[in-house]
Amino acid sequence: NLNDVWKYVPSASTWSWVNGSSNAPQYMGIYGTQGTGSTNNTPGVRISSAMFTDASNNIWVFGGGYGLGPQYQNTYGFNSIFKYNPLNSQWTWVNGDQGLLGAAVYGTKGTPSTSNKPGGTLNFASTTDSSGNFWIYGGINPYGYINATDTLWSFNPTTLAWTFFSGGQDQANHNPVYGTKGVPAASNNPGSRSSTGLVVDSSGNVWLFGGNGWDSGGNNNGFNDLWKFDTTTLQWTWIAGGNVTALNGVYGTKGVAASANGPGGRVPAGTWIDASNHIYVFGGLGYDSVNNYRDELNDLWMFNPTTLMWTWINGSNVTASGGKNPTYGLIGSFAPTNTPGGRGNNAVSFQSSTSSFWVMGGFGVTSANDYDEGELWNYDPSSNQWACINGCGLYIYRPTYGTLGVASATNSPGNRC
């Protein structure tokens, strides 16, 4: 587990290590005084936390886990949220509990409060909306790997208030309640799941895709369902996909939308949304067109919320026989034949202000091996083309930190997921 912070400048193609430890990180964090920044503060090392930025380019980190033993059952979650100011390199503990196993305070459903807070969690879905609010869904609660939550929360970085929107307050595993496809209902619920995809459209609707959970038959695996949550009515609608886990993808013809199309079940996938509210899903550990079991995928899908149809737009529909291998092309240049290798666990995916999409690291396929990797890829939705930007085809096991705050072409965060 690491607590370092890195910055990449695309125009210079350089990384710089800007904060945190290069050797002996602070494991449980240094909180300091709540609301007061300090260069001594740090969130500590975490896995499967979430990071987002506000309008002032402050960096926020929420939740995540810390392994106290070799098994998943010994990995416990934080519920603290920290803010990092890149101008003075100070962390501020803003909300949540010090240490692990923080209990949730739900308040009134749909009503923000600075007293509210989620419970300690990791492997949750996260996103930000156009107003800068931070959203999370589900995740693994502090009481063991098999228990996942079905709660939906948002955090306002201006008011510092959490809002609880949906889900149970008992932190137990809940099966999905699908109802009728396309029909909202108060009883509908995606159920407890982890490593889900999450986006918010321009109307404020929250969209959830896939993730790992339990279906009604008692099977624990990856879903391929798509849901929409209305923050006004506080109701979920099952929009697309199946109501059981472990379904294979139905690809159809690349670039052609069809009502029968849909990604296979997977966990976790990169998810983004564009200015037209098209939802994109990339990769993950899941099922291809011929149901290869839980393999690393590099397919890219787009969902149109107007036609309610999926389109397979890039990547491969099979993972065997080299189908998940990368094609790099000229480094830093977009091309129709370029594609990342298959990505399994916890690649970082995010959007830039120009609406292009980025993918960093994860457990995936490079030209060198099939392992944790450190490649940085950029996707341009206007041309439907990928470019490998940095670390392409390299197996860089350990980070190269260089000098704190100094960018260099030889610096690298190394392989991580």
Side-chain angles (χ1 to χ4, degrees), residues 36-67:
T36 302
S38 171
T39 53
N40 294 323
N41 293 348
T42 174
V45 298
R46 302 186 179 202
I47 57 172
S48 300
S49 58
M51 186 175 104
F52 66 102
T53 57
D54 62 24
S56 300
N57 290 323
N58 296 305
I59 297 167
W60 299 72
V61 171
F62 167 75
Y66 170 62

Side-chain angles (χ1 to χ4, degrees), residues 336-372:
T337 55
N338 292 350
T339 181
R343 290 292 186 278
N345 295 334
N346 295 343
V348 175
S349 60
F350 54 97
Q351 282 178 258
S352 70
S353 58
T354 59
S355 296
S356 66
F357 310 140
W358 296 77
V359 174
M360 165 66 186
F363 186 95
V365 183
T366 71
S367 61
N369 64 359
D370 186 353
Y371 200 63
D372 292 355

Side-chain angles (χ1 to χ4, degrees), residues 8 13-15 331-332 360 374-377 387-394 396 409 411-413:
Y8 183 77
S13 191
T14 55
W15 284 101
I331 304 305
M360 165 66 186
E375 293 179 350
L376 179 66
W377 286 80
C388 188
I389 303 298
N390 189 267
C392 309
L394 302 177
I396 309 170
N411 290 350
S412 171

Side-chain angles (χ1 to χ4, degrees), residues 45-406:
V45 298
R46 302 186 179 202
I47 57 172
S48 300
S49 58
M51 186 175 104
F52 66 102
T53 57
D54 62 24
S56 300
N57 290 323
N58 296 305
I59 297 167
W60 299 72
V61 171
F62 167 75
Y66 170 62
L68 299 179
Q71 303 300 322
Y72 281 116
Q73 286 83 354
N74 293 323
T75 301
Y76 296 92
F78 294 94
N79 73 341
S80 53
I81 188 164
F82 277 78
K83 180 178 73 172
Y84 176 75
N85 185 334
L87 298 180
N88 59 20
S89 198
Q90 291 185 355
W91 284 101
T92 303
W93 167 40
V94 173
N95 186 282
D97 297 293
Q98 295 191 41
L100 300 160
L101 303 176
V105 176
Y106 293 89
T108 302
K109 188 176 288 187
T111 301
S113 171
T114 55
S115 299
N116 292 349
K117 55 185 177 179
T121 187
L122 64 152
N123 283 3
F124 49 87
S126 65
T127 191
T128 51
D129 62 26
S130 58
S131 299
N133 299 308
F134 172 60
W135 294 79
I136 63 170
Y137 182 89
I140 302 168
N141 69 27
Y143 306 105
Y145 180 69
I146 63 171
N147 288 334
T149 68
D150 63 348
T151 53
L152 177 68
W153 294 82
S154 76
F155 177 79
N156 185 317
T158 301
T159 65
L160 308 183
W162 282 101
T163 305
F164 167 59
F165 278 99
S166 174
Q169 300 184 21
D170 55 0
Q171 294 193 341
N173 284 321
H174 297 147
N175 292 335
V177 178
Y178 285 86
T180 302
K181 189 175 285 187
V183 179
S187 58
N188 289 352
N189 193 298
S192 302
R193 56 182 77 188
S194 61
S195 300
T196 309
L198 202 69
V199 294
V200 181
D201 66 24
S202 59
S203 298
N205 299 305
V206 181
W207 294 78
L208 180 150
F209 171 78
N212 195 82
W214 299 87
D215 64 21
S216 59
N219 301 303
N220 180 251
N221 212 314
F223 285 99
N224 77 335
D225 48 359
L226 182 68
W227 294 77
K228 182 174 74 171
F229 182 78
D230 188 314
T231 54
T232 302
T233 64
L234 305 185
Q235 292 184 352
W236 285 100
T237 306
W238 172 33
I239 300 294
N243 59 2
V244 294
T245 63
L247 293 174
N248 63 296
V250 178
Y251 287 76
T253 302
K254 187 178 286 187
V256 179
S259 57
N261 289 354
R266 62 191 63 198
V267 51
T271 49
W272 314 288
I273 192 164
D274 66 17
S276 300
N277 291 323
H278 297 130
I279 298 167
Y280 293 77
V281 169
F282 168 72
L285 191 68
Y287 296 83
D288 64 10
S289 61
V290 291
N291 217 24
N292 284 314
Y293 177 70
R294 296 270 288 198
D295 210 345
E296 295 143 0
L297 300 158
N298 73 347
D299 52 354
L300 181 63
W301 292 81
M302 183 183 70
F303 181 80
N304 187 322
T306 302
T307 64
L308 302 181
M309 290 193 292
W310 284 102
T311 306
W312 167 41
I313 59 174
N314 204 296
S316 176
N317 63 350
V318 294
T319 59
S321 302
K324 61 183 180 179
N325 290 344
T327 301
Y328 295 101
L330 183 64
I331 304 305
S333 297
F334 293 92
T337 55
N338 292 350
T339 181
R343 290 292 186 278
N345 295 334
N346 295 343
V348 175
S349 60
F350 54 97
Q351 282 178 258
S352 70
S353 58
T354 59
S355 296
S356 66
F357 310 140
W358 296 77
V359 174
M360 165 66 186
F363 186 95
V365 183
T366 71
S367 61
N369 64 359
D370 186 353
Y371 200 63
D372 292 355
E373 46 108 333
E375 293 179 350
L376 179 66
W377 286 80
N378 187 205
Y379 175 76
D380 176 21
S382 63
S383 64
N384 185 27
Q385 294 181 8
W386 286 99
C388 188
I389 303 298
N390 189 267
C392 309
L394 302 177
Y395 179 58
I396 309 170
Y397 179 58
R398 296 186 184 278
T400 302
Y401 286 90
T403 302
L404 185 67
V406 178

